[in-house]
Amino acid sequence: MYALAQLNLLYNYLSSKKKRETCDTFDFSNAEEIPYVTIQLPVYNEMYVMERLLDNIALLEYPKDKLEIQVLDDSTDETLVTTKAHVDQLASTGLDITHITRTDRSGFKAGALKEGLKIAKGDFIAIFDADFLPQPNWLKRTIPYFKNEKIGVVQTRWGHINRNYSLLTKIQAFALDAHFTLEQVGRNSKGHFINFNGTAGVWRKTCIIDAGNWEGDTLTEDLDLSYRAQLKNWEFKYLEDVETPAELPVVISAARSQQFRWNKGGAENFRKMMWRVIKSENISVKTKIHGLLHLLNSTMFLSIFTVAILSIPMLYIKNEYEHLRDYFYVMSFFVMSTLIFFVCYWFMYKSIYGSGFKKFFGYVGMFFTFFSIAMGFSLHNSIAVIEGHIGKRSEFVRTPKFNISTIKDSWKGNKYLRKNVSPHVIIEGILVVYFGFGLYSAFVVGDQGGDFGLFPFHLMLFIGFGYVFFKSLTSKI
């Protein structure tokens, strides 16, 4: 079902390319017409990127008398002092920038945003995480869309300043690019629900209030508020052509914490929003289906992991019981879902890298590398999904930032990296051996020299879990 929904989103995406959209703009020479904007920068212990963030935000082109910057600082280390000094220095240049701290981190990021909103001067609230670097004209390209009074959010596409740093960053970029092209455009172009991505977007302040304000009861407060706002009939506008560069995690432990938060938060929001979406009288059946599958997308990892674990016993059962073989041939129909993803992701890849035989050959390698490593994350992400669905609460673990240079392994001195090895990593090591046994089994089962039908699947699982296991160990050294 999810694959078929992706195919529909591909159709929507390609259809949207035939349309040309324009929007009214504000007269930036007329002070009375320019709306007041508040920029919120929620940060927590960001030693390596704080200076870069503040200096970049100070370069945004917008009338200073209509711009406020809130540094929502929940830090508990020495950056609390250095950030305040930097904020004071920028304030001395005439910039309206304030350093806002709290006595506790209740609600985590959602709590910080909600606290800042109480005193925000702006009618529109732009939000950037610590590793994002908007272009100077960013506000002038996004704020004009709010001339449409129905629009509550304008979201921009994430870029990747370190896309080619390593294989890990390449596959993360690959996955995010699929979301920020096919999914966001495919849903938004037909009026289906999309999500504010937590950063690189702007909210209408009245939309936030009307939707019930920020809530910290899930790990993805952005997805939560997005659905509550759209259920209240607010429209979202996604801008694929406005790219906001950011830094991808370069260490697998950082990627794991980010994946855990996103996948658990998705499951938590399905639990929270399912009945609200189903019972809503304001949206079509098709929008409801897309919305439910959107909220369930992280649960795919649980399906992948279940199929992976059962695939080796299935290989033996298939060859032991002749009368069951026909059932296995019927089940092979579901390989179609992988082919659908392959087609859909090619259009995403082509829009970014271009077409041609050489590009397609590179795409094939990247697609199967991405799929293999995604499978390698399936245990870790399945645990996150299960915790989300059963309602187990956990702390918001933010992704450590690096301000990484091009020098390999320059991340090793990062003070925010966790040094302990998760028990999950040990199980992933056992699974490497398990799927290695699956590869061996292909040669020994059956009466006619083996059964290699599942060999490609087990090879991808072996490579994926092997990559995740060994990278997780080496990142602790």
Side-chain angles (χ1 to χ4, degrees):
M1 287 181 66
Y2 187 79
L4 290 173
Q6 291 287 305
L7 197 60
N8 181 244
L9 293 179
L10 173 62
Y11 174 79
N12 296 348
Y13 177 76
L14 295 176
S15 300
S16 73
K17 295 301 177 186
K18 300 174 184 177
K19 302 175 185 176
R20 284 193 171 184
E21 286 191 85
T22 58
C23 79
D24 294 331
T25 187
F26 292 102
D27 180 2
F28 284 96
S29 64
N30 183 354
E32 293 183 3
E33 189 177 352
I34 301 171
Y36 211 118
V37 174
T38 295
I39 296 174
Q40 290 188 322
L41 307 175
V43 297
Y44 174 70
N45 295 352
E46 303 289 4
M47 174 187 289
Y48 302 99
V49 294
M50 204 64 226
E51 183 177 344
R52 183 182 71 180
L53 169 69
L54 294 174
D55 287 343
N56 186 80
I57 294 298
L59 296 175
L60 285 172
E61 298 165 352
Y62 204 79
K64 284 188 176 181
D65 61 333
K66 292 295 181 78
L67 181 66
E68 171 195 34
I69 301 169
Q70 293 182 337
V71 182
L72 307 173
D73 195 351
D74 279 356
S75 298
T76 56
D77 64 1
E78 64 269 31
T79 57
L80 205 60
V81 175
T82 56
T83 298
K84 185 181 187 310
H86 200 147
V87 168
D88 291 343
Q89 184 266 319
L90 290 173
S92 68
T93 67
L95 202 61
D96 183 1
I97 181 169
T98 53
H99 186 235
I100 300 172
T101 60
R102 301 189 294 164
T103 54
D104 65 88
R105 285 188 73 207
S106 58
F108 304 108
K109 181 180 176 181
L113 293 170
K114 188 173 183 179
E115 193 72 22
L117 195 68
K118 293 178 183 177
I119 55 173
K121 303 172 188 174
D123 299 313
F124 303 100
I125 313 296
I127 300 170
F128 298 102
D129 282 348
D131 55 327
F132 279 74
L133 301 168
Q135 299 293 334
N137 65 349
W138 194 91
L139 288 172
K140 290 184 176 180
R141 296 184 69 186
T142 54
I143 296 299
Y145 285 91
F146 287 104
K147 277 215 161 183
N148 180 345
E149 294 293 330
K150 295 179 181 178
I151 289 181
V153 172
V154 173
Q155 174 68 53
T156 65
R157 178 170 60 88
W158 292 8
H160 317 293
I161 59 177
N162 60 334
R163 174 193 295 271
N164 295 317
Y165 178 82
S166 66
L167 179 60
L168 181 64
T169 58
K170 286 178 182 177
I171 60 169
Q172 289 176 90
F174 186 90
L176 287 169
D177 289 340
H179 170 69
F180 281 101
T181 52
L182 289 177
E183 295 184 356
Q184 291 289 65
V185 176
R187 293 188 182 106
N188 192 227
S189 64
K190 296 297 183 182
H192 304 318
F193 285 11
I194 67 169
N195 58 299
F196 168 65
N197 293 103
T199 176
V202 191
W203 283 83
R204 189 187 296 272
K205 187 177 181 179
T206 51
C207 173
I208 298 175
I209 302 301
D210 183 52
N213 215 323
W214 297 102
E215 294 178 359
D217 57 346
T218 73
L219 292 179
T220 45
E221 72 295 320
D222 44 8
L223 179 60
D224 171 29
L225 186 58
S226 296
Y227 267 66
R228 285 189 278 121
Q230 287 166 109
L231 285 168
K232 284 260 190 173
N233 289 333
W234 286 98
E235 295 179 6
F236 281 32
K237 182 65 182 176
Y238 175 67
L239 304 180
E240 186 187 9
D241 60 333
V242 180
E243 180 181 311
T244 311
E247 181 182 299
L248 293 162
V250 297
V251 181
I252 200 163
S253 59
R256 289 172 78 102
S257 65
Q258 187 178 71
Q259 287 281 308
F260 194 90
R261 189 174 73 248
W262 287 352
N263 285 288
K264 182 172 181 175
E268 287 176 328
N269 273 290
F270 175 78
R271 193 167 182 262
K272 181 175 180 176
M273 290 296 180
M274 177 182 66
W275 289 113
R276 300 191 205 185
V277 171
I278 291 171
K279 292 177 180 179
S280 174
E281 298 178 357
N282 301 327
I283 55 179
S284 68
V285 172
K286 192 171 183 180
T287 296
K288 289 180 181 182
I289 292 170
H290 270 291
L292 292 173
L293 289 172
H294 180 201
L295 292 170
L296 275 171
N297 65 0
S298 62
T299 306
M300 277 203 308
F301 283 104
L302 188 56
S303 299
I304 291 167
F305 184 69
T306 303
V307 170
I309 292 297
L310 295 178
S311 62
I312 295 176
M314 193 171 80
L315 182 64
Y316 283 89
I317 293 169
K318 172 188 171 187
N319 284 280
E320 185 70 24
Y321 301 98
E322 186 72 28
H323 65 285
L324 295 177
R325 286 200 171 199
D326 289 344
Y327 293 104
F328 290 97
Y329 295 139
V330 171
M331 287 166 63
S332 65
F333 169 78
F334 292 99
V335 173
M336 285 293 294
S337 62
T338 304
L339 297 177
I340 290 171
F341 284 118
F342 182 84
V343 172
C344 290
Y345 286 10
W346 163 241
F347 283 93
M348 169 275 293
Y349 190 90
K350 186 169 66 169
S351 72
I352 295 170
Y353 295 99
S355 56
F357 179 78
K358 188 175 179 181
K359 296 291 186 184
F360 181 76
F361 188 75
Y363 166 72
V364 172
M366 179 54 69
F367 177 84
F368 284 104
T369 302
F370 159 72
F371 240 59
S372 297
I373 296 175
M375 289 178 182
F377 274 102
S378 61
L379 168 67
H380 178 264
N381 291 346
S382 292
I383 293 168
V385 165
I386 291 169
E387 287 189 6
H389 282 305
I390 66 175
K392 180 181 177 181
R393 301 299 300 274
S394 60
E395 186 179 343
F396 184 104
V397 179
R398 73 98 164 97
T399 307
K401 316 299 190 303
F402 298 87
N403 193 5
I404 202 73
S405 69
T406 56
I407 302 170
K408 294 294 180 182
D409 297 339
S410 59
W411 50 266
K412 287 192 173 180
N414 190 299
K415 63 176 284 187
Y416 302 125
L417 286 177
R418 294 183 170 186
K419 301 301 181 184
N420 58 315
V421 176
S422 165
H424 302 169
V425 175
I426 307 303
I427 301 172
E428 286 161 353
I430 295 170
L431 288 170
V432 176
V433 178
Y434 180 68
F435 293 114
F437 174 74
L439 295 175
Y440 163 78
S441 299
F443 293 91
V444 298
V445 297
D447 301 325
Q448 300 176 354
D451 183 341
F452 295 91
L454 288 171
F455 189 86
F457 183 53
H458 290 152
L459 180 61
M460 292 171 70
L461 286 161
F462 179 76
I463 292 170
F465 276 103
Y467 177 86
V468 171
F469 173 66
F470 288 108
K471 276 289 182 181
S472 298
L473 288 184
T474 56
S475 69
K476 306 299 179 185
I477 299 171

